Amino acid sequence: MKIMMKAPAKINLTLDVLNKRPDGFHEVEMIMTNVDLADRIELEMLPKDEIRILSHNRFVPDDSRNLAYQAAKLLKDRYQIKSGVSITIEKVIPVAAGLAGGSSDAAATLKGLNRLWDIGLSLDELAELGAEIGSDVSFCVYGGTALAKGRGEKIQKLPPPPNCWVVLAKPTIGVSTAEVYKNLKLQGINHPDTAAMIEAIKNQDYEQMCASMGNVLESVTLKLYPEVAQIKEQMERFGADAVLMSGSGPTVFGLIQHDSRMHRVYNGLRGFCEQVYAVRLLGEGEGEPIA
Ligand code: ATP
């Protein structure tokens, strides 16, 4: 028995940090939305009691460090599943990029194994389990567009944003999320207007959506990694309507409405950056098996 799942990347239309909590986590408020750039996860039941990870990407761990492995282990332990699974990850989403690739793989694994092993959990229950794996996994379980609060695990669904092109460019550097948070000074930061972004999405107001984008981690990462600032400038110069870094970076994305301008930005960026993608916003959550 086999199931194929799509695990899409996310971008942050907003990312705000409200404070640091006594447990060490930051209290965040962020609006995330899926883009049409996805890993493919194949789940195949094994008679032997083991979790096997297969991936051709050398940056993807093939052991218990893999978030998809952790998702399978969590379900096996919690629901006393005796059969095993082989998880093949066809990696498309750049790794350690601020696009929640690992979290999305974990979410797709939770949803797929819920079917394969016939556990019968609701989406809410899967999202709650996902929060035990990582802060972004709950969002990835629902997919689509949402406001995430708490440490990222409290999800309020939002309607799909006005559709447009998204050009993504990832410089060839790895960014440590922990280092970015360590360098964030909470006093005097320029908070994005989350309420204005929610209004823009609800009103399908593309201009207001572009004007309301903001990420408090951006200035920290730009200072630590000047390559990211350069890519941001290039994307603005080639004519993207709005440009922002996703998550803690280093991926920078530009929103663009017109096809011709998308081609200009995409082709322009390819001269500077190896990993460049032009995709659409997904808007709605997916999550049903694709085969
Ligand atoms: P986020 O946006 O949630 O902070 P990210 O996009 O920055 O995540 P990931 O691509 O999820 O980062 O990878 C971060 C690290 O997690 C990688 O360096 C890798 O070692 C580890 N990892 C664990 N599982 C996976 C997976 N399934 N795919 C990719 N990386 C994984």
Side-chain angles (χ1 to χ4, degrees), residues 10 59 61 65-67 91 95-103 105 136:
K10 62 85 182 158
F59 299 113
R65 288 168 301 168
N66 196 299
L67 299 186
K91 202 76 197 160
V95 177
L99 299 172
S103 304
D105 293 351
D136 284 344

Side-chain angles (χ1 to χ4, degrees), residues 10 12 39 41 59-61 65-68 70 89 91 93-106 136 175 177 246-250:
K10 62 85 182 158
N12 288 86
D39 293 344
I41 311 286
F59 299 113
V60 175
R65 288 168 301 168
N66 196 299
L67 299 186
Q70 291 171 27
I89 303 175
K91 202 76 197 160
I93 305 170
V95 177
L99 299 172
S103 304
S104 194
D105 293 351
D136 284 344
V175 162
T177 303
S246 187
S248 55

Side-chain angles (χ1 to χ4, degrees), residues 14-17 184 186 189-192 214-220:
T14 64
L15 193 163
D16 198 7
V17 177
L184 175 70
L186 283 174
I189 56 171
N190 203 1
H191 294 281
N215 178 348
V216 296
L217 301 180
E218 191 181 68
S219 59
V220 182

